[in-house]
Amino acid sequence: RKEVEQDPGPFNVPEGATVAFNCTYSNSASQSFFWYRQDCRKEPKLLMSVYSSGNEDGRFTAQLNRASQYISLLIRDSKLSDSATYLCVVLPYGQNFVFGPGTRLSVLP
Amino acid sequence: DAGITQSPRHKVTETGTPVTLRCHQTENHRYMYWYRQDPGHGLRLIHYSYGVKDTDKGEVSDGYSVSRSKTEDFLLTLESATSSQTSVYFCAISVVAGNRRVDEQFFGPGTRLTVL
């Protein structure tokens, strides 16, 4: 089993739709969680950290469920510019970052 | 922008030749990393460094070596390139607060390497 697994995708949604991405991790010692965004042929860029209480940044909401070892990202009112691959990243205590394989999103006009 | 550059940005080479990729940062970050990214896999850690001359292996270090003689430069060397090393290579840094690594990474623009 991979350490970090994500929805295989791709997700093709119309503009204005709400889309949710799921991520599960296997290492219960994981202490920090992130969502990164990666545009085609570009480097990953930090979208948001994920806190235990859940957090929101504009149209983006991240949730963490430590008991189920599950992280989610919700995008509301999708824009064309949201088209990208979304990477779930986990940082276990005392170890290095572990990246999921990513879920590709295409927002269609 | 974390001030990270990578060179070259693109390279095509032949099997068996040595290749060195350079990562340069301008903000004196202590932690630096080399990853490779391939379809179907997440970013996979090759090597990382936690200071000048302090390096360690990641999960896919076979066939790669690194050096860090200055804070600002982290070099990745493929001693004898193979076709399986065709990939996109990303350098990254972690920000440090005080003496503690902060839990965020920032990436360079990447190097596309093709080994024929």
Side-chain angles (χ1 to χ4, degrees):
Chain A
R1 182 186 171 190
K2 292 183 179 178
E3 277 198 70
V4 178
E5 299 193 51
Q6 297 186 237
D7 291 329
F11 284 30
N12 299 311
V13 303
E15 269 187 291
T18 295
V19 59
F21 300 123
N22 300 312
C23 171
T24 57
Y25 60 95
S26 60
N27 189 338
S28 59
S30 298
Q31 62 174 23
S32 299
F33 309 89
F34 312 89
W35 284 101
Y36 277 73
R37 170 200 169 115
Q38 186 173 23
D39 293 294
C40 188
R41 302 180 77 84
K42 298 286 190 181
E43 73 272 23
K45 293 187 177 178
L46 180 65
L47 179 64
M48 57 198 306
S49 301
V50 187
Y51 304 120
S52 295
S53 55
N55 46 301
E56 187 173 309
D57 182 2
R59 298 181 294 108
F60 298 84
T61 300
Q63 296 282 348
L64 168 64
N65 184 323
R66 287 187 185 269
S68 302
Q69 296 183 193
Y70 167 88
I71 308 156
S72 66
L73 176 69
L74 185 75
I75 305 176
R76 290 181 300 278
D77 189 22
S78 301
K79 311 292 185 193
L80 295 176
S81 57
D82 294 333
S83 297
T85 296
Y86 291 82
L87 307 176
C88 175
V89 183
V90 169
L91 180 61
Y93 180 78
Q95 299 180 39
N96 284 304
F97 297 84
V98 183
F99 289 77
T103 302
R104 186 155 57 90
L105 170 67
S106 293
V107 181
L108 309 173
Chain B
D1 183 1
I4 307 168
T5 58
Q6 292 184 231
S7 59
R9 295 293 313 279
H10 303 270
K11 186 170 182 67
V12 179
T13 192
E14 294 188 350
T15 297
T17 60
V19 176
T20 295
L21 308 183
R22 180 183 183 232
C23 177
H24 179 78
Q25 53 121 342
T26 59
E27 299 183 1
N28 218 33
H29 296 294
R30 180 180 167 193
Y31 290 87
M32 298 183 75
Y33 307 80
W34 276 109
Y35 292 91
R36 61 177 290 174
Q37 187 174 36
D38 305 287
H41 297 273
L43 283 147
R44 292 182 291 172
L45 183 65
I46 306 171
H47 281 278
Y48 64 100
S49 169
Y50 41 93
V52 173
K53 292 187 168 44
D54 289 325
T55 65
D56 208 345
K57 296 179 180 180
E59 66 173 298
V60 290
S61 59
D62 286 349
Y64 301 94
S65 62
V66 289
S67 66
R68 191 157 178 213
S69 57
K70 299 185 289 184
T71 299
E72 58 266 35
D73 288 325
F74 192 30
L75 304 180
L76 177 70
T77 297
L78 292 65
E79 302 290 348
S80 178
T82 66
S83 58
S84 64
Q85 293 176 312
T86 292
S87 187
V88 180
Y89 291 86
F90 287 103
C91 174
I93 61 96
S94 281
V95 176
V96 174
N99 202 33
R100 183 177 168 273
R101 186 181 68 178
V102 174
D103 297 342
E104 291 177 355
Q105 284 198 319
F106 299 91
F107 289 83
T111 294
R112 292 187 173 272
L113 176 67
T114 302
V115 184
L116 301 176

